[in-house]
């Protein structure tokens, strides 16, 4: 919804992307929900914990390196699978040793499906009727978005911080529960730390390059490749299978949000052009001020 309204309020070449966002199929959305639910039910809590910790460490590293765009719209789109893994790890941690954990997980899945269905109805309403209702001003939902649509990223950012904070605690607990002694834990955490450090360094170098669909796919492959090597070294064979399934999940999420990522890239290009024009204008003003003779200098020359 945020990107759709952004396209409507943007220049002409950005408005054309709104039709692509509006044309997304309901069948595709339902298929996405089924596929992701199946993947998260198959992928174990151990690999989900590894994915969550890798994403959290990478995000914190980008924030510390003063890359504030790490919290932009692209981050919300690229973290879908990691966020799902975080929910899997959190639910596994909270429902561990619970007498009715299966019923609780089934209830969580039902609530997630209900929430997705409600949001899908709202998205369909906004993409179909927002332009009319925002001008006629007789729809409460569209009027609320008209005044608060720019606050959606901040709201999503706060929700993500809470979700990943809980998921990180759950992930550390779920990984440590398999070790009986401190030496076993050390043999696992040492290569894990080295692997994640190398991944973070690589991701920081990738952030300096221009973002594209190919670079996003390459980044996903490198991340999952690092986790695959880690699980081959200190993990189990079932963990290797779960990492491969996670790679499929990440690629599927990228395919689904391809149009939205293109909108984010166009918006970033527009913002960069605006900043460049502002800098050029300020430079010209400084040069004019510096070339203007001072009154005292004119009097001395006379």
């Amino acid at each position: 919804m945020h990107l759709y309204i952004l396209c409507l309020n943007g220049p002409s070449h950005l408005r054309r992307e709104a039709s692509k966002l509006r044309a997304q199929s309901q069948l595709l959305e339902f298929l996405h929900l089924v596929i992701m639910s199946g993947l998260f039910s198959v992928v174990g809590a151990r690999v989900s914990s590894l994915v969550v910790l890798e994403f959290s460490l990478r995000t914190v590293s980008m924030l510390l390196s003063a890359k504030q765009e790490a919290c932009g719209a692209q981050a919300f789109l690229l973290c879908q699978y990691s966020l799902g893994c975080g929910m899997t790890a959190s639910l596994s941690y909270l429902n561990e040793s619970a007498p009715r954990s299966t019923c609780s997980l089934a209830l969580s899945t039902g609530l997630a499906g209900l929430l997705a269905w409600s949001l899908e109805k709202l998205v369909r309403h906004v993409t179909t009727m927002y332009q009319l209702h925002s001008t006629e001003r007789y729809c409460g939902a569209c009027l609320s978005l008209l005044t608060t649509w720019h606050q959606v990223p901040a709201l999503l950012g706060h929700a993500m911080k809470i979700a990943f904070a809980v998921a990180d605690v759950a992930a550390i607990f779920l990984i440590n529960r398999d070790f009986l002694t401190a030496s076993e834990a050390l043999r696992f955490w040492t290569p894990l730390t080295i692997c994640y450090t190398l991944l973070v360094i690589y991701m920081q170098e990738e952030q300096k390059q221009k973002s594209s669909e190919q670079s996003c796919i390459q980044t996903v492959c490198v991340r999952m490749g690092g986790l695959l090597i880690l699980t081959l070294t200190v993990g189990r064979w079932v963990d290797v299978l779960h990492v491969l399934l996670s790679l499929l999940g990440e690629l599927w999420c990228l395919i689904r949000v391809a149009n939205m990522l293109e909108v984010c890239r166009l918006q970033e290009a527009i913002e960069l052009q605006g900043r460049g024009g502002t800098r050029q204008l300020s430079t010209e003003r400084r040069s004019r001020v510096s070339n203007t003779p001072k009154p005292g200098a004119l009097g001395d020359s006379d």
Side-chain angles (χ1 to χ4, degrees), residues 65-121:
S65 59
K67 294 184 180 294
Q68 297 299 329
E69 63 270 15
C71 291
Q74 284 198 45
F76 299 133
L77 298 175
L78 296 176
C79 78
Q80 289 188 46
Y81 188 81
S82 299
L83 182 60
C85 289
M87 298 302 295
T88 301
S90 300
L91 290 174
S92 299
Y93 171 69
L94 295 174
N95 290 297
E96 188 174 11
S97 301
R100 295 179 179 83
S101 58
T102 304
C103 295
S104 178
L105 291 175
L107 179 61
S108 301
T109 304
L111 290 175
L114 180 61
L115 180 61
W117 177 73
S118 302
L119 289 177
E120 181 62 22
K121 284 185 61 178

Side-chain angles (χ1 to χ4, degrees), residues 14 39 51 73 101-102 114 158 167 174 183 215 265 281 295:
L14 196 59
L39 282 176
V51 174
S101 58
T102 304
L114 180 61
H158 293 313
L174 292 173
S183 59
S215 65
R265 297 187 190 105
L281 182 61

Side-chain angles (χ1 to χ4, degrees), residues 209-229:
Q209 302 178 5
K210 186 177 180 179
S211 176
S212 64
E213 184 177 358
Q214 182 179 0
S215 65
C216 291
I217 295 176
Q218 181 180 356
T219 299
V220 168
C221 293
V222 170
R223 289 172 50 214
M224 294 297 113
L227 293 180
L228 181 64
I229 295 174

Side-chain angles (χ1 to χ4, degrees), residues 2-301:
H2 172 76
L3 292 178
Y4 178 76
I5 299 175
L6 182 67
C7 291
L8 295 179
N9 295 333
S12 58
H13 65 280
L14 196 59
R15 291 194 199 99
R16 289 193 291 267
E17 298 294 328
S19 60
K20 297 180 181 179
L21 298 178
R22 192 188 305 115
Q24 291 184 352
S25 172
Q26 292 184 357
L27 179 61
L28 182 62
E29 297 295 330
F30 177 75
L31 182 62
H32 173 73
L33 179 62
V34 172
I35 290 176
M36 298 311 294
S37 299
L39 282 176
F40 291 137
S41 63
V42 173
V43 174
R46 185 182 175 95
V47 172
S48 297
S49 301
L50 294 176
V51 174
V52 168
L53 291 176
E54 185 272 334
F55 178 84
S56 300
L57 182 62
R58 181 160 48 90
T59 304
V60 170
S61 174
M62 287 189 289
L63 289 175
L64 293 179
S65 59
K67 294 184 180 294
Q68 297 299 329
E69 63 270 15
C71 291
Q74 284 198 45
F76 299 133
L77 298 175
L78 296 176
C79 78
Q80 289 188 46
Y81 188 81
S82 299
L83 182 60
C85 289
M87 298 302 295
T88 301
S90 300
L91 290 174
S92 299
Y93 171 69
L94 295 174
N95 290 297
E96 188 174 11
S97 301
R100 295 179 179 83
S101 58
T102 304
C103 295
S104 178
L105 291 175
L107 179 61
S108 301
T109 304
L111 290 175
L114 180 61
L115 180 61
W117 177 73
S118 302
L119 289 177
E120 181 62 22
K121 284 185 61 178
L122 179 60
V123 169
R124 288 298 164 188
H125 175 79
V126 170
T127 54
T128 305
M129 306 299 296
Y130 176 78
Q131 286 182 288
L132 175 63
H133 288 175
S134 60
T135 53
E136 297 295 334
R137 298 181 180 275
Y138 61 80
C139 174
C142 294
L143 286 178
S144 299
L145 286 174
L146 180 64
T147 56
T148 62
W149 69 271
H150 56 280
Q151 299 176 2
V152 172
L155 179 63
L156 289 178
H158 293 313
M160 279 182 55
K161 290 176 183 177
I162 297 174
F164 277 104
V166 176
D168 289 336
V169 175
I172 294 174
F173 175 83
L174 292 173
I175 292 176
N176 285 330
R177 71 177 180 180
D178 295 330
F179 306 122
L180 299 177
T181 61
S183 59
E184 292 180 359
L186 184 62
R187 282 196 298 268
F188 180 85
W189 282 104
T190 300
L192 178 68
T193 304
I194 296 173
C195 177
Y196 282 2
T197 303
L198 295 176
L199 282 175
V200 167
I201 295 174
Y202 175 80
M203 296 304 167
Q204 286 183 344
E205 294 297 325
E206 284 293 313
Q207 289 294 324
K208 299 177 182 178
Q209 302 178 5
K210 186 177 180 179
S211 176
S212 64
E213 184 177 358
Q214 182 179 0
S215 65
C216 291
I217 295 176
Q218 181 180 356
T219 299
V220 168
C221 293
V222 170
R223 289 172 50 214
M224 294 297 113
L227 293 180
L228 181 64
I229 295 174
L230 177 66
T231 52
L232 285 172
T233 305
V234 294
R236 309 161 184 165
W237 286 110
V238 68
D239 294 335
V240 176
L241 176 61
H242 290 167
V243 170
L244 295 176
L245 291 176
S246 297
L247 174 61
L248 296 178
E250 289 275 13
L251 293 177
W252 170 256
C253 289
L254 283 180
I255 294 173
R256 179 180 171 271
V257 300
N259 292 333
M260 290 182 276
L261 286 174
E262 184 62 27
V263 171
C264 293
R265 297 187 190 105
L266 291 175
Q267 179 62 23
E268 287 182 359
I270 293 173
E271 291 178 356
L272 288 176
Q273 290 178 358
R275 294 171 187 171
T278 303
R279 292 195 192 99
Q280 183 178 2
L281 182 61
S282 60
T283 303
E284 292 177 356
R285 288 177 178 176
R286 291 195 200 99
S287 62
R288 290 174 184 173
V289 171
S290 60
N291 294 331
T292 301
K294 298 180 180 180
L298 290 175
D300 294 340
S301 61

